[in-house]
Amino acid sequence: DIVMTQSPDSLAVSLGERATINCKSSQSVLYSSNNKNYLAWYQQKPGQPPKLLIYWASTRESGVPDRFSGSGSGTDFTLTISSLQAEDVAVYYCQQYYSTSFTFGPGTKVDIK
Amino acid sequence: QVQLVQSGAEVKKPGSSVKVSCKASGGTFSSYAISWVRQAPGQGLEWMGGIIPIFGTANYAQKFQGRVTITADESTSTAYMELSSLRSEDTAVYYCARNPLTMIVGTLGAFDIWGQGTMVTVSS
């Protein structure tokens, strides 16, 4: 299975400041046939199911605010929240769907400083 | 707008089985796969397995092979996950999630819609 790791485990950012979360896969999730990275980011708030934020590593899901952006390719990826809002307090997970034995990162908890 | 509506909370004894359902409300399963993902209390997300209803083919995470069965009924747009030989470590919220088939054969997209979750408690 492809192992996903995330860093940091948690971070606290002031309102309006930037939050950056890193995700690394144990093998490339870039599919050569279509040049797409099979990497997604999800946001999960307490008591709620995960919500898709980003897919294909950098495509924002419909309705997701543009302060959320994804970047990276191959094995190294980043989720950036450009200006943290109170409603962004949550746990964020990366996930690979390159292999249909899907795997998630362990999650990064984002709080307000 | 399609929603995935799951069955209600369950309390089970160790050694028994549980079957959770997931119905697509406002749509069908056409062109989608359905996966099951679980989350133990305070823990992360763990993919258990999935099915492509139009093909009827299921695949499972190695960890759950032999203990989980995922099926789907296209006529009612409902997927099911049955987990057997339950133990206390299976106490978790179980989610179904939808991901689309892609243009590249054999690949699927990200999980774009999730069910509300079903709490399964295993306790003697």
mmCIF file of all heavy atoms in Angstrom, chain B residues 95-122:
data_model
loop_
_atom_site.group_PDB
_atom_site.id
_atom_site.type_symbol
_atom_site.label_atom_id
_atom_site.label_comp_id
_atom_site.label_asym_id
_atom_site.label_seq_id
_atom_site.Cartn_x
_atom_site.Cartn_y
_atom_site.Cartn_z
ATOM 1 N N TYR B 95 -18.316 5.338 7.567
ATOM 2 C CA TYR B 95 -18.814 6.223 6.527
ATOM 3 C C TYR B 95 -18.846 5.503 5.185
ATOM 4 O O TYR B 95 -17.922 4.739 4.869
ATOM 5 C CB TYR B 95 -17.904 7.444 6.343
ATOM 6 C CG TYR B 95 -17.807 8.393 7.506
ATOM 7 C CD1 TYR B 95 -16.700 8.395 8.350
ATOM 8 C CD2 TYR B 95 -18.807 9.343 7.738
ATOM 9 C CE1 TYR B 95 -16.584 9.293 9.394
ATOM 10 C CE2 TYR B 95 -18.703 10.244 8.788
ATOM 11 C CZ TYR B 95 -17.594 10.210 9.604
ATOM 12 O OH TYR B 95 -17.492 11.115 10.646
ATOM 13 N N CYS B 96 -19.866 5.785 4.384
ATOM 14 C CA CYS B 96 -19.782 5.448 2.969
ATOM 15 C C CYS B 96 -19.405 6.735 2.231
ATOM 16 O O CYS B 96 -19.690 7.849 2.704
ATOM 17 C CB CYS B 96 -21.079 4.854 2.429
ATOM 18 S SG CYS B 96 -22.538 5.905 2.536
ATOM 19 N N ALA B 97 -18.762 6.574 1.098
ATOM 20 C CA ALA B 97 -18.323 7.729 0.318
ATOM 21 C C ALA B 97 -18.331 7.355 -1.157
ATOM 22 O O ALA B 97 -18.070 6.202 -1.523
ATOM 23 C CB ALA B 97 -16.928 8.183 0.747
ATOM 24 N N ARG B 98 -18.637 8.338 -1.976
ATOM 25 C CA ARG B 98 -18.754 8.116 -3.418
ATOM 26 C C ARG B 98 -17.543 8.663 -4.138
ATOM 27 O O ARG B 98 -17.065 9.766 -3.819
ATOM 28 C CB ARG B 98 -20.004 8.843 -3.909
ATOM 29 C CG ARG B 98 -20.333 8.680 -5.356
ATOM 30 C CD ARG B 98 -21.454 9.600 -5.763
ATOM 31 N NE ARG B 98 -20.980 10.936 -6.129
ATOM 32 C CZ ARG B 98 -21.706 11.826 -6.800
ATOM 33 N NH1 ARG B 98 -22.953 11.510 -7.146
ATOM 34 N NH2 ARG B 98 -21.213 13.005 -7.094
ATOM 35 N N ASN B 99 -17.038 7.893 -5.088
ATOM 36 C CA ASN B 99 -16.021 8.461 -5.967
ATOM 37 C C ASN B 99 -16.288 8.069 -7.415
ATOM 38 O O ASN B 99 -16.768 6.978 -7.689
ATOM 39 C CB ASN B 99 -14.585 8.138 -5.527
ATOM 40 C CG ASN B 99 -14.308 6.688 -5.268
ATOM 41 O OD1 ASN B 99 -15.217 5.906 -5.014
ATOM 42 N ND2 ASN B 99 -13.044 6.317 -5.326
ATOM 43 N N PRO B 100 -16.043 9.003 -8.323
ATOM 44 C CA PRO B 100 -16.418 8.778 -9.713
ATOM 45 C C PRO B 100 -15.419 7.896 -10.463
ATOM 46 O O PRO B 100 -14.231 7.878 -10.153
ATOM 47 C CB PRO B 100 -16.431 10.190 -10.306
ATOM 48 C CG PRO B 100 -15.441 10.941 -9.484
ATOM 49 C CD PRO B 100 -15.500 10.352 -8.100
ATOM 50 N N LEU B 101 -15.938 7.162 -11.448
ATOM 51 C CA LEU B 101 -15.054 6.504 -12.396
ATOM 52 C C LEU B 101 -14.405 7.607 -13.232
ATOM 53 O O LEU B 101 -15.017 8.657 -13.456
ATOM 54 C CB LEU B 101 -15.851 5.562 -13.306
ATOM 55 C CG LEU B 101 -16.730 4.529 -12.610
ATOM 56 C CD1 LEU B 101 -17.414 3.629 -13.636
ATOM 57 C CD2 LEU B 101 -15.949 3.711 -11.628
ATOM 58 N N THR B 102 -13.178 7.400 -13.654
ATOM 59 C CA THR B 102 -12.512 8.406 -14.465
ATOM 60 C C THR B 102 -12.370 7.898 -15.895
ATOM 61 O O THR B 102 -12.727 6.765 -16.205
ATOM 62 C CB THR B 102 -11.115 8.748 -13.914
ATOM 63 O OG1 THR B 102 -10.232 7.657 -14.187
ATOM 64 C CG2 THR B 102 -11.153 9.002 -12.415
ATOM 65 N N MET B 103 -11.834 8.769 -16.753
ATOM 66 C CA MET B 103 -11.666 8.404 -18.150
ATOM 67 C C MET B 103 -10.575 7.353 -18.331
ATOM 68 O O MET B 103 -10.514 6.685 -19.356
ATOM 69 C CB MET B 103 -11.331 9.649 -18.973
ATOM 70 C CG MET B 103 -12.432 10.689 -18.981
ATOM 71 S SD MET B 103 -13.933 10.086 -19.757
ATOM 72 C CE MET B 103 -13.411 9.997 -21.457
ATOM 73 N N ILE B 104 -9.704 7.234 -17.331
ATOM 74 C CA ILE B 104 -8.641 6.238 -17.404
ATOM 75 C C ILE B 104 -9.170 4.952 -16.775
ATOM 76 O O ILE B 104 -9.460 4.910 -15.574
ATOM 77 C CB ILE B 104 -7.381 6.708 -16.653
ATOM 78 C CG1 ILE B 104 -6.925 8.077 -17.176
ATOM 79 C CG2 ILE B 104 -6.289 5.661 -16.758
ATOM 80 C CD1 ILE B 104 -6.465 8.060 -18.610
ATOM 81 N N VAL B 105 -9.269 3.912 -17.577
ATOM 82 C CA VAL B 105 -9.812 2.647 -17.092
ATOM 83 C C VAL B 105 -9.008 2.143 -15.903
ATOM 84 O O VAL B 105 -7.776 2.147 -15.915
ATOM 85 C CB VAL B 105 -9.803 1.595 -18.226
ATOM 86 C CG1 VAL B 105 -10.243 0.229 -17.700
ATOM 87 C CG2 VAL B 105 -10.706 2.043 -19.353
ATOM 88 N N GLY B 106 -9.729 1.746 -14.880
ATOM 89 C CA GLY B 106 -9.078 1.195 -13.701
ATOM 90 C C GLY B 106 -8.750 2.213 -12.631
ATOM 91 O O GLY B 106 -8.219 1.856 -11.587
ATOM 92 N N THR B 107 -9.062 3.470 -12.896
ATOM 93 C CA THR B 107 -8.812 4.485 -11.871
ATOM 94 C C THR B 107 -10.111 5.166 -11.455
ATOM 95 O O THR B 107 -11.086 5.195 -12.211
ATOM 96 C CB THR B 107 -7.809 5.552 -12.332
ATOM 97 O OG1 THR B 107 -8.406 6.394 -13.335
ATOM 98 C CG2 THR B 107 -6.554 4.918 -12.909
ATOM 99 N N LEU B 108 -10.087 5.684 -10.249
ATOM 100 C CA LEU B 108 -11.242 6.361 -9.680
ATOM 101 C C LEU B 108 -10.843 7.747 -9.207
ATOM 102 O O LEU B 108 -9.655 8.044 -9.060
ATOM 103 C CB LEU B 108 -11.789 5.558 -8.500
ATOM 104 C CG LEU B 108 -12.291 4.148 -8.821
ATOM 105 C CD1 LEU B 108 -12.529 3.363 -7.532
ATOM 106 C CD2 LEU B 108 -13.569 4.221 -9.641
ATOM 107 N N GLY B 109 -11.840 8.579 -8.979
ATOM 108 C CA GLY B 109 -11.585 9.924 -8.502
ATOM 109 C C GLY B 109 -11.615 10.023 -6.986
ATOM 110 O O GLY B 109 -11.699 9.010 -6.278
ATOM 111 N N ALA B 110 -11.569 11.253 -6.491
ATOM 112 C CA ALA B 110 -11.602 11.501 -5.047
ATOM 113 C C ALA B 110 -13.017 11.305 -4.501
ATOM 114 O O ALA B 110 -13.993 11.284 -5.249
ATOM 115 C CB ALA B 110 -11.121 12.917 -4.756
ATOM 116 N N PHE B 111 -13.136 11.188 -3.197
ATOM 117 C CA PHE B 111 -14.432 10.996 -2.531
ATOM 118 C C PHE B 111 -15.168 12.333 -2.464
ATOM 119 O O PHE B 111 -14.877 13.158 -1.604
ATOM 120 C CB PHE B 111 -14.231 10.431 -1.130
ATOM 121 C CG PHE B 111 -13.600 9.065 -1.109
ATOM 122 C CD1 PHE B 111 -12.443 8.823 -0.400
ATOM 123 C CD2 PHE B 111 -14.170 8.004 -1.801
ATOM 124 C CE1 PHE B 111 -11.860 7.568 -0.366
ATOM 125 C CE2 PHE B 111 -13.597 6.745 -1.782
ATOM 126 C CZ PHE B 111 -12.439 6.523 -1.061
ATOM 127 N N ASP B 112 -16.136 12.533 -3.336
ATOM 128 C CA ASP B 112 -16.771 13.845 -3.411
ATOM 129 C C ASP B 112 -18.022 13.981 -2.547
ATOM 130 O O ASP B 112 -18.401 15.096 -2.188
ATOM 131 C CB ASP B 112 -17.079 14.226 -4.868
ATOM 132 C CG ASP B 112 -18.043 13.263 -5.548
ATOM 133 O OD1 ASP B 112 -18.361 12.194 -4.978
ATOM 134 O OD2 ASP B 112 -18.463 13.583 -6.684
ATOM 135 N N ILE B 113 -18.646 12.878 -2.209
ATOM 136 C CA ILE B 113 -19.828 12.912 -1.348
ATOM 137 C C ILE B 113 -19.693 11.827 -0.292
ATOM 138 O O ILE B 113 -19.317 10.687 -0.616
ATOM 139 C CB ILE B 113 -21.126 12.728 -2.156
ATOM 140 C CG1 ILE B 113 -21.317 13.905 -3.108
ATOM 141 C CG2 ILE B 113 -22.337 12.612 -1.231
ATOM 142 C CD1 ILE B 113 -22.537 13.789 -4.000
ATOM 143 N N TRP B 114 -20.003 12.181 0.950
ATOM 144 C CA TRP B 114 -19.902 11.256 2.073
ATOM 145 C C TRP B 114 -21.274 11.114 2.747
ATOM 146 O O TRP B 114 -22.065 12.065 2.785
ATOM 147 C CB TRP B 114 -18.908 11.795 3.105
ATOM 148 C CG TRP B 114 -17.491 11.836 2.637
ATOM 149 C CD1 TRP B 114 -16.976 12.642 1.661
ATOM 150 C CD2 TRP B 114 -16.401 11.055 3.125
ATOM 151 N NE1 TRP B 114 -15.632 12.405 1.515
ATOM 152 C CE2 TRP B 114 -15.248 11.444 2.407
ATOM 153 C CE3 TRP B 114 -16.285 10.078 4.112
ATOM 154 C CZ2 TRP B 114 -13.997 10.870 2.640
ATOM 155 C CZ3 TRP B 114 -15.038 9.509 4.348
ATOM 156 C CH2 TRP B 114 -13.906 9.905 3.609
ATOM 157 N N GLY B 115 -21.500 9.932 3.288
ATOM 158 C CA GLY B 115 -22.660 9.733 4.124
ATOM 159 C C GLY B 115 -22.448 10.414 5.476
ATOM 160 O O GLY B 115 -21.351 10.901 5.776
ATOM 161 N N GLN B 116 -23.503 10.426 6.277
ATOM 162 C CA GLN B 116 -23.443 11.138 7.563
ATOM 163 C C GLN B 116 -22.687 10.334 8.632
ATOM 164 O O GLN B 116 -22.346 10.878 9.681
ATOM 165 C CB GLN B 116 -24.859 11.484 8.055
ATOM 166 C CG GLN B 116 -25.604 10.378 8.785
ATOM 167 C CD GLN B 116 -26.318 9.401 7.877
ATOM 168 O OE1 GLN B 116 -26.007 9.273 6.687
ATOM 169 N NE2 GLN B 116 -27.296 8.677 8.447
ATOM 170 N N GLY B 117 -22.435 9.060 8.364
ATOM 171 C CA GLY B 117 -21.727 8.220 9.318
ATOM 172 C C GLY B 117 -22.680 7.391 10.160
ATOM 173 O O GLY B 117 -23.801 7.817 10.463
ATOM 174 N N THR B 118 -22.230 6.204 10.511
ATOM 175 C CA THR B 118 -22.987 5.295 11.376
ATOM 176 C C THR B 118 -22.072 4.847 12.505
ATOM 177 O O THR B 118 -21.011 4.275 12.255
ATOM 178 C CB THR B 118 -23.462 4.058 10.585
ATOM 179 O OG1 THR B 118 -24.368 4.464 9.559
ATOM 180 C CG2 THR B 118 -24.154 3.059 11.511
ATOM 181 N N MET B 119 -22.490 5.128 13.734
ATOM 182 C CA MET B 119 -21.693 4.714 14.890
ATOM 183 C C MET B 119 -21.964 3.248 15.183
ATOM 184 O O MET B 119 -23.132 2.857 15.379
ATOM 185 C CB MET B 119 -22.047 5.570 16.094
ATOM 186 C CG MET B 119 -21.235 5.226 17.343
ATOM 187 S SD MET B 119 -19.537 5.764 17.163
ATOM 188 C CE MET B 119 -18.678 4.511 18.114
ATOM 189 N N VAL B 120 -20.909 2.450 15.213
ATOM 190 C CA VAL B 120 -21.023 1.042 15.599
ATOM 191 C C VAL B 120 -20.220 0.856 16.881
ATOM 192 O O VAL B 120 -19.026 1.154 16.932
ATOM 193 C CB VAL B 120 -20.497 0.100 14.491
ATOM 194 C CG1 VAL B 120 -20.507 -1.344 14.975
ATOM 195 C CG2 VAL B 120 -21.327 0.249 13.222
ATOM 196 N N THR B 121 -20.903 0.418 17.913
ATOM 197 C CA THR B 121 -20.267 0.181 19.206
ATOM 198 C C THR B 121 -20.245 -1.316 19.466
ATOM 199 O O THR B 121 -21.283 -1.982 19.373
ATOM 200 C CB THR B 121 -21.023 0.895 20.333
ATOM 201 O OG1 THR B 121 -21.090 2.299 20.040
ATOM 202 C CG2 THR B 121 -20.328 0.691 21.670
ATOM 203 N N VAL B 122 -19.069 -1.834 19.753
ATOM 204 C CA VAL B 122 -18.925 -3.258 20.060
ATOM 205 C C VAL B 122 -18.596 -3.385 21.542
ATOM 206 O O VAL B 122 -17.549 -2.928 21.998
ATOM 207 C CB VAL B 122 -17.825 -3.917 19.209
ATOM 208 C CG1 VAL B 122 -17.749 -5.416 19.511
ATOM 209 C CG2 VAL B 122 -18.084 -3.676 17.724
#
